Amino acid sequence: MDDAGQNKDVQERGRGERVAEWADGRLGLHGLLRGKARKAFPDHWSFLLGEISLYSFVVIIVTGIYLTLFFHPSMNQVEYHGSYAPLRGQTVSEAFDSTMHISFDVRGGLLIRQAHHWAALVFVAAMLLHMMRVFFTGAFRKPRELNWVLGFLLLVLGMFAGLTGYDLPDDLLSGTGLAVVNGTILSIPIVGTYLSMFLFGGEFPGNDLVARFNTIHVLIIPALMVGLLVAHVFLALRHRHTQYPGRGRTERNVVGLPFKVRAVKSAGVFFLVAGVILVMAAIAQINPVWKYGPYRADQVSAGSQPDWYMGVADGLLRVMPGWEIVLWGHTLALDNLIPLLAGVGVFVAMGVYPFLEARVTGDDREHHLLDRPRNRPARTGLGVSWISFYLIALIGAANDIIATRFHVSVESVTWAVRIGLVVVPPLSYVLAKRWALGLQRKDRDELLHGRETGIIKRMPNGEYVEVHAPLSPERLSLLTQQEQYEAIGPGTPADGVIADEGHDRAG
């Protein structure tokens, strides 16, 4: 290389270094990234649940930006002249017309629209599974209580983002769901009517619904979610990463992959998640609004079902008896109010659980090693009970479909769900707790006698025994690396009764 080329490389490298030094002097990114690059990240399949929720959220944002370029959030009535022949000439809203235009006339529009919907379902599912993993392993304990609250708020906002987006096309199915939402809002004492008028811009369905929901769905909720997500990631990096117990793992270290390796694997997970969502959008139809038609207040879509994450609310509404009471001249619609309070209570209990457990157990220590669910039987039982309540309510949301497909009366299905909501959660708690205790006894036997080899040996006296092999160091660390509680003694002199009885027997 000649002198001119070398001088040019030096100048370009010097210019790049000056830009990097300028940015680092004002942002301090180099020192921050250099410190984080030295951190280790545990490698366990369950940690992928959080990444799946993050990357599905990215897909939601990207596809949502594309859809906003063609969607018209207006309820003004127009005549449909699109490519879908069965609806030509019908009066529809601009929101429905633009949704049909995206689905049939925009190149790749239907793919992007279905990818957006599937990504929303995957996001909520991954968030719920991620929170259940955090719950059952105790990753919410000090100093991560705020991270749990942020994740809980992300889950709730994701559900409301799905609800508001579900209603934007202004089709018959979404309108039926909105009628249910309006009835639930109206059941709230004192402020219910004001909330309904504010939300719909007048009497249901109003004229501003789509515009207001579009603002909430596109601007307000995503902005809040991005802020919560940034705070969630910041706190996750601020605190030491949790890890499962094992050999060489303590409360003071982290055993895992370097940051660079973890970043490469995480990038691969992103492309995998995006690819799977796009494949789902390409081969699995979802929300075909052209089959439902535009919303009309005098029609109801038979067999209507909300997205699965809102099924718990719909299920509680369906199985609730039609109770009403009159107080001071005002009617309280308990058939809507009680399911609303029950649904809110179920999720609020999940949100505040870390603080309740810390208060009950009096545990104020920092925890960086995760629990095995079997070693926390009470917490495991509560989690299984919560999930069972959610699933039973979800079954209730499909009582009409179950009745028609299995040729049973809808009343029978409804009563089965009512009984299940009362009986199944406590029964699930007892079974899960006993199961966890049984697994603890199995671990104890394994520690005392070693692992079973399946080899049967005959002793000199004719007895047949199974040969047990010693446990590996990794297995020993896993089974013994837990908090050992002190056993309760037979009693103390302060108890009085036991001490006196022992003295009498001695005499």
Side-chain angles (χ1 to χ4, degrees), residues 252-490:
R252 299 183 179 181
N253 68 352
V254 178
V255 178
L257 299 175
F259 173 77
K260 294 181 179 179
V261 178
R262 193 71 187 86
V264 173
K265 293 187 67 174
S266 185
V269 172
F270 166 72
F271 289 111
L272 183 61
V273 170
V276 169
I277 291 175
L278 288 174
V279 169
M280 293 168 61
I283 65 176
Q285 179 177 270
I286 188 170
N287 199 21
V289 295
W290 53 90
K291 289 187 176 182
Y292 310 137
Y295 174 67
R296 289 182 52 179
D298 60 339
Q299 295 182 0
V300 174
S301 177
S304 60
Q305 303 290 325
D307 285 334
W308 69 267
Y309 47 84
M310 298 302 296
V312 59
D314 192 43
L316 293 175
L317 287 170
R318 292 190 182 207
V319 302
M320 180 66 191
W323 294 346
E324 291 183 353
I325 59 174
V326 178
L327 294 175
W328 301 291
H330 298 278
T331 301
L332 288 181
L334 299 182
D335 54 343
N336 281 269
L337 181 60
I338 292 179
L340 174 64
L341 296 177
V344 171
V346 168
F347 278 91
V348 169
M350 181 174 68
V352 302
Y353 180 82
F355 307 99
L356 294 178
E357 181 177 295
R359 179 68 178 271
V360 171
T361 61
D363 188 1
D364 194 40
R365 299 166 299 168
E366 290 193 3
H367 296 275
H368 304 288
L369 277 179
L370 299 175
D371 291 327
R372 301 176 74 201
R374 67 185 62 182
N375 295 331
R376 294 294 182 267
R379 181 200 300 156
T380 301
L382 289 173
V384 173
S385 178
W386 190 96
I387 294 174
S388 67
F389 184 89
Y390 193 101
L391 293 179
I392 296 297
L394 192 60
I395 293 174
N399 61 348
D400 53 346
I401 303 298
I402 294 174
T404 55
R405 293 298 175 88
F406 292 95
H407 306 288
V408 296
S409 65
V410 68
E411 290 83 4
S412 300
V413 179
T414 301
W415 270 105
V417 173
R418 289 173 180 171
I419 296 173
L421 288 173
V422 178
V423 174
V424 173
L427 183 62
S428 300
Y429 172 83
V430 173
L431 291 177
K433 184 176 180 180
R434 299 309 304 176
W435 195 346
L437 293 173
L439 291 174
Q440 286 188 26
R441 294 178 67 90
K442 176 181 176 295
D443 291 344
R444 175 180 175 274
D445 293 339
E446 192 174 351
L447 283 171
L448 293 176
H449 307 293
R451 64 178 180 86
E452 298 177 352
T453 61
I455 300 175
I456 305 299
K457 181 179 179 181
R458 183 178 182 182
M459 304 298 289
N461 60 356
E463 179 185 4
Y464 289 91
V465 296
E466 183 178 11
V467 178
H468 288 71
L471 299 180
S472 63
E474 291 78 10
R475 184 66 177 171
L476 281 172
S477 298
L478 179 64
L479 297 181
T480 59
Q481 199 170 21
Q482 67 185 44
E483 188 173 1
Q484 302 292 332
Y485 293 98
E486 185 177 351
I488 300 176

Side-chain angles (χ1 to χ4, degrees), residues 62-358:
V62 174
T63 55
I65 292 174
Y66 182 87
L67 294 175
T68 55
L69 301 177
F70 304 96
F71 181 72
H72 299 288
S74 172
M75 297 183 71
N76 294 331
Q77 300 295 304
V78 297
E79 187 174 338
Y80 178 71
H81 297 289
S83 300
Y84 189 66
L87 288 179
R88 286 177 186 167
Q90 289 199 23
T91 301
V92 300
S93 65
E94 289 188 8
F96 186 85
D97 182 70
S98 61
T99 303
M100 295 291 292
H101 177 69
I102 293 172
S103 302
F104 289 95
D105 301 316
V106 176
R107 185 180 297 274
L110 182 59
L111 176 67
I112 299 301
R113 179 172 160 264
Q114 296 201 147
H116 187 73
H117 200 146
W118 277 118
L121 298 181
V122 171
F123 170 77
V124 179
M127 276 296 301
L128 184 59
L129 291 175
H130 175 64
M131 293 199 69
M132 289 299 99
R133 195 275 302 174
V134 172
F135 177 86
F136 285 113
T137 59
F140 55 79
R141 294 172 296 177
K142 184 181 177 180
R144 299 175 181 84
E145 300 96 334
L146 290 180
N147 237 6
W148 169 269
V149 174
L150 294 176
F152 168 75
L153 294 177
L154 278 171
L155 174 64
V156 173
L157 285 176
M159 295 173 63
F160 279 100
L163 176 64
T164 53
Y166 179 81
D167 298 319
L168 289 182
D170 197 28
D171 60 295
L172 184 58
L173 181 61
S174 65
T176 302
L178 274 178
V180 176
V181 172
N182 181 53
T184 305
I185 294 175
L186 289 175
S187 69
I188 302 175
I190 302 176
V191 299
T193 54
Y194 298 99
L195 291 176
S196 177
M197 296 287 287
F198 173 76
L199 184 63
F200 298 106
E203 292 288 342
F204 178 81
N207 297 316
D208 302 327
L209 170 67
V210 173
R212 295 188 179 194
F213 271 37
N214 185 71
T215 302
I216 297 172
H217 180 75
V218 176
L219 294 178
I220 298 177
I221 293 182
L224 293 174
M225 293 181 70
V226 169
L228 291 174
L229 190 60
V230 171
H232 185 78
V233 173
F234 171 78
L235 287 179
L237 294 176
R238 173 67 178 82
H239 303 304
R240 188 182 311 147
H241 205 294
T242 57
Q243 59 184 346
Y244 286 92
R247 188 181 184 186
R249 300 173 184 177
T250 67
E251 293 280 5
R252 299 183 179 181
N253 68 352
V254 178
V255 178
L257 299 175
F259 173 77
K260 294 181 179 179
V261 178
R262 193 71 187 86
V264 173
K265 293 187 67 174
S266 185
V269 172
F270 166 72
F271 289 111
L272 183 61
V273 170
V276 169
I277 291 175
L278 288 174
V279 169
M280 293 168 61
I283 65 176
Q285 179 177 270
I286 188 170
N287 199 21
V289 295
W290 53 90
K291 289 187 176 182
Y292 310 137
Y295 174 67
R296 289 182 52 179
D298 60 339
Q299 295 182 0
V300 174
S301 177
S304 60
Q305 303 290 325
D307 285 334
W308 69 267
Y309 47 84
M310 298 302 296
V312 59
D314 192 43
L316 293 175
L317 287 170
R318 292 190 182 207
V319 302
M320 180 66 191
W323 294 346
E324 291 183 353
I325 59 174
V326 178
L327 294 175
W328 301 291
H330 298 278
T331 301
L332 288 181
L334 299 182
D335 54 343
N336 281 269
L337 181 60
I338 292 179
L340 174 64
L341 296 177
V344 171
V346 168
F347 278 91
V348 169
M350 181 174 68
V352 302
Y353 180 82
F355 307 99
L356 294 178
E357 181 177 295

